Amino acid sequence: MLFTHEYANDLILFALIVDCGSFSKAAESAGITSSVISKRIGRLEKSLGARLLYRTTRSLTLTENGRELYQHAKEISIRIQDALHVVSEKSDELAGVIRMSVPTVSGELLLSEKVAEFCSLHPKLKVEIRLENHFVDLVNEGIDLAIRTGTMPDSSLIARPILNSRWVIVCSPGYLEKHPQPQLAEDLLMHNCLTYIHQESGTANWLMKRPDSGDIYELQVNGNFSSNNALAIRKAVLGGFGIAMVPRVMVYEDLQAGKLLEILTGCSGKVLGVYAVYPYTRNLPLKIRMLIEHIMISYNNISHYF
């Protein structure tokens, strides 16, 4: 059997389950859900062709194969922890390479500068950033850390929340000189709405919030321009070509300068979580932990932008 990185992680997770005595406690310790643990152990058993444990609502019992495997899995887990401790915790300087995947907007607005700042503090460390709007397979593509915005799917990845990104509805003063200002959300149906392709609710479906109840609903808007790049939408809005719903952080300075105006304040129902995401491991390398902390501090320093 090919001993892959994914297989090693499953063995470590198996040892954790035995140590914790239950799937739920292991899930809490690992920071993932019980359903993910069940899938991972099921995958391990399938790959080995052997049952490893019996699980009931009250107890967890190892099979003979499970008891034998546990000894080896525990040894692997301990050795990996020791190796990581030697390499990272006892190292005077951070070194090596961190490969990151970052949304285009986040990279261009903040992260590229802040990650470069982190690298300047640790000259022996190199960080490679990929700017992309799709969710990459971190394990198969060798990505150590990703910054993701949106709803995190149920997976074996660890997602550490950073903050929430609120979206706003904006247009330029020039646009309002030529068109009546919308007073109700439904008034948007009479306007040219510039839409962002990469959104979970669909390109033309804007998530709106009812002022009276706070309920979230979808409003299907119309427009003659859409893009998979949010900064392209910003340019078009600044040019006075329509109305857009965009991340507040992206247009914060435009709003402060009066280049753009927020309309229908409080009616946008789109709020997305921003997360630091990385593959499951019991001992995250120090360099990645420190980079995450640096990013979190950088975001929180401008939290009013969001």
Side-chain angles (χ1 to χ4, degrees):
M1 176 182 294
L2 181 63
F3 192 79
T4 64
H5 172 73
E6 187 176 53
Y7 184 58
N9 280 341
D10 287 348
L11 287 174
I12 294 170
L13 188 58
F14 172 69
L16 177 64
I17 293 169
V18 178
D19 290 340
C20 291
S22 73
F23 276 43
S24 59
K25 290 181 181 178
E28 183 179 353
S29 176
I32 56 181
T33 65
S34 295
S35 63
V36 168
I37 285 190
S38 295
K39 292 175 184 177
R40 295 275 295 276
I41 296 305
R43 180 176 66 188
L44 181 61
E45 290 179 328
K46 183 178 180 180
S47 64
L48 293 171
R51 187 71 178 266
L52 299 177
L53 47 83
Y54 297 107
R55 178 188 179 195
T56 67
T57 55
R58 295 185 178 181
S59 65
L60 201 67
T61 305
L62 287 171
T63 64
E64 183 177 349
N65 287 325
R67 284 193 297 271
E68 186 173 343
L69 182 64
Y70 169 72
Q71 300 301 324
H72 298 288
K74 184 64 177 177
E75 184 178 348
I76 291 172
S77 179
I78 292 172
R79 288 189 176 184
I80 289 177
Q81 290 181 55
D82 290 343
L84 290 172
H85 182 76
V86 170
V87 173
S88 32
E89 299 296 350
K90 292 185 178 180
S91 178
D92 292 329
E93 294 183 281
L94 300 186
V97 178
I98 299 175
R99 300 186 67 211
M100 290 185 67
S101 173
V102 174
T104 302
V105 172
S106 299
E108 294 184 358
L109 286 179
L110 172 69
L111 279 175
S112 295
E113 178 184 357
K114 293 305 177 181
V115 171
E117 178 183 73
F118 184 77
C119 291
S120 71
L121 298 173
H122 308 282
K124 293 186 178 181
L125 182 70
K126 178 181 179 181
V127 180
E128 299 176 355
I129 290 186
R130 289 167 41 176
L131 269 60
E132 49 206 349
N133 289 323
H134 63 282
F135 285 4
V136 299
D137 187 326
L138 270 61
V139 174
N140 289 333
E141 297 192 35
I143 302 298
D144 302 299
L145 176 64
I147 302 301
R148 290 183 173 175
T149 301
T151 304
M152 292 299 101
D154 186 23
S155 72
S156 58
L157 300 176
I158 307 300
R160 184 173 176 184
I162 299 176
L163 48 64
N164 287 327
S165 175
R166 184 168 68 87
W167 289 47
V168 292
I169 303 170
V170 297
C171 66
S172 70
Y175 181 83
L176 291 183
E177 290 176 3
K178 301 176 181 178
H179 305 86
Q181 180 170 337
Q183 302 300 317
L184 301 172
E186 286 66 27
D187 293 343
L188 291 171
L189 302 179
M190 305 301 295
H191 288 264
N192 189 37
C193 294
L194 314 178
T195 53
Y196 180 53
I197 292 173
H198 284 300
Q199 59 179 24
E200 295 176 3
S201 57
T203 301
N205 294 331
W206 285 6
L207 293 179
M208 308 297 293
K209 181 168 65 175
R210 300 189 191 280
D212 51 347
S213 64
D215 293 339
I216 305 298
Y217 68 100
E218 290 186 4
L219 180 69
Q220 188 168 3
V221 297
N222 304 293
N224 60 11
F225 180 81
S226 62
S227 175
N228 65 347
N229 186 294
L231 293 176
I233 299 294
R234 170 182 171 269
K235 286 284 190 180
V237 179
L238 284 169
F241 298 109
I243 296 173
M245 181 186 287
V246 293
R248 186 172 185 267
V249 63
M250 191 180 74
V251 295
Y252 177 82
E253 294 182 354
D254 297 322
L255 293 170
Q256 297 301 305
K259 295 179 180 178
L260 290 178
L261 303 173
E262 182 178 358
I263 59 175
L264 295 172
T265 304
C267 288
S268 171
K270 190 167 185 177
V271 180
L272 300 178
V274 180
Y275 301 86
V277 181
Y278 50 89
Y280 167 73
T281 173
R282 288 197 67 187
N283 293 87
L284 191 65
L286 178 63
K287 59 188 176 184
I288 297 179
R289 293 207 311 269
M290 290 185 64
L291 176 55
I292 291 174
E293 292 299 327
H294 185 82
I295 290 172
M296 293 183 72
I297 291 172
S298 299
Y299 268 99
N300 285 314
N301 284 341
I302 60 166
S303 60
H304 55 286
Y305 277 48
F306 293 85

